[in-house]
Amino acid sequence: MPPGQALLHTSRRDDADAALLTAPGVAPFTWRALLRALRDPDLEILEVAEPLWVGEWRRALRCIAVAKAARIVRRRPVAVATYAIENLDARERVRRRGARLALGVSLLTLDAVVFGTTGAYENYRRAFGWSLRRTRHTVLTPRLDGCTVCAPDDAPRERTVLFLGTPSERKGFPVLLEAWERVGGAERGWRLVVADPGGADEHELPAGVSVTVDPPRAEVHELLRSSAVVAMPSVRRPGWREQIGLPLVEGLTHGCRVVTTTETGLADDLREHPAVELTTPGDPASLAEGLRRAMEGPVTVAAGRRGHTKSDVVAWWRAACALRR
């Protein structure tokens, strides 16, 4: 957690680092905890869930209403901001036109919006451009320079392709297995390692493929430091599209080459990145070609200083909200 921030969480991911939940300022959401935070005279910004996370946005609107009402007893108002990354077309996310109109109107309650990808910005602009014109907004993509957890490591990379996440259809795992055999990964002397947080699904695995079940974060970092390539071949499914693609972000911050598809939210922002191979979603031949290029690429890839941290996002919110006053 950046200094000066608190987090009230309404849910948690199964693969979340448990240590994060014990950090100072992190606690389960309750209305009492929110009211206590709003009484803090130093509170400047209330971050809420993004509008296209529709189920959570209803709760967010109630939080915003409470924050606006708190202006009566506070010495200064609390600005409201959000970080938006939804990549699934808003018309598919919210099918009824009236509901989309209501959602667009509710966007006017926000003082500042940071989009995590260009794809997310374009998604909101197409559906709610008239609302965004009345709200300060920008695009700040994730920082992709060296990992802040790992010490510098000059050890040689292993001939390993790493898949981080649940080996599901929407993550493109069946396509990856077919592409792996097409490219002859095992015959080339490479391994495909699957770091599966759940380990519930069983697959018939071809030669050279192994699964590590629910590895701790320290082991994930070790895998990223030693692997040459990270594969994240997401495909779109009804009601779902890859928002950012954290495995590819982690791969790039650890100096890996990355093979992904145009379905990931960061695809438009990474088209010119020298360590990224963009492939056609759901196409084993295209993915195999991307794997081949990545396998034959340079031994190491220098992580570039690209993108922004959460501290940068908060700093932009503060500046944007100060301009609105």
Side-chain angles (χ1 to χ4, degrees), residues 264-315:
T264 181
L266 272 175
D268 287 340
D269 302 292
L270 296 178
R271 289 188 182 278
E272 304 303 320
H273 196 293
V276 176
E277 298 290 344
L278 287 180
T279 66
T280 304
D283 185 342
S286 176
L287 183 57
E289 179 61 21
L291 286 172
R292 182 193 64 77
R293 291 193 298 267
M295 290 173 172
E296 296 173 357
V299 176
T300 58
V301 178
R305 189 176 176 82
R306 302 163 62 101
H308 306 82
T309 66
K310 180 61 183 292
S311 295
D312 298 322
V313 171
V314 173

Side-chain angles (χ1 to χ4, degrees), residues 184-252:
E187 291 81 357
R188 290 169 174 261
W190 283 69
R191 297 185 306 143
L192 171 58
V193 175
V194 180
D196 179 4
D201 294 332
E202 295 183 359
H203 301 268
E204 287 191 18
L205 301 178
V209 183
S210 61
V211 177
T212 299
V213 176
D214 194 21
R217 285 298 299 170
E219 186 176 345
V220 171
H221 281 281
E222 184 178 343
L223 287 168
L224 286 162
R225 287 194 303 271
S226 61
S227 299
V229 177
V230 168
M232 199 204 73
S234 300
V235 295
R236 194 185 312 196
R237 284 292 175 263
W240 183 86
R241 191 180 184 193
E242 192 75 61
Q243 293 177 329
I244 286 185
L246 291 181
L248 71 85
V249 172
E250 292 198 300
L252 292 171

Side-chain angles (χ1 to χ4, degrees), residues 3-6 37-47 67-68 71 74-81 111-112 314-325:
Q5 294 188 51
L38 289 171
R39 287 198 297 268
D40 186 341
D42 294 326
L43 181 65
E44 297 180 72
I45 298 173
L46 173 66
E47 179 189 357
K68 302 289 186 185
R71 292 181 176 182
R74 286 178 54 85
R75 291 181 297 179
R76 58 179 176 174
V78 176
V80 180
D111 297 296
V314 173
W316 191 90
W317 281 338
R318 293 182 68 187
C321 292
L323 288 173
R324 289 197 63 145
R325 292 180 180 137

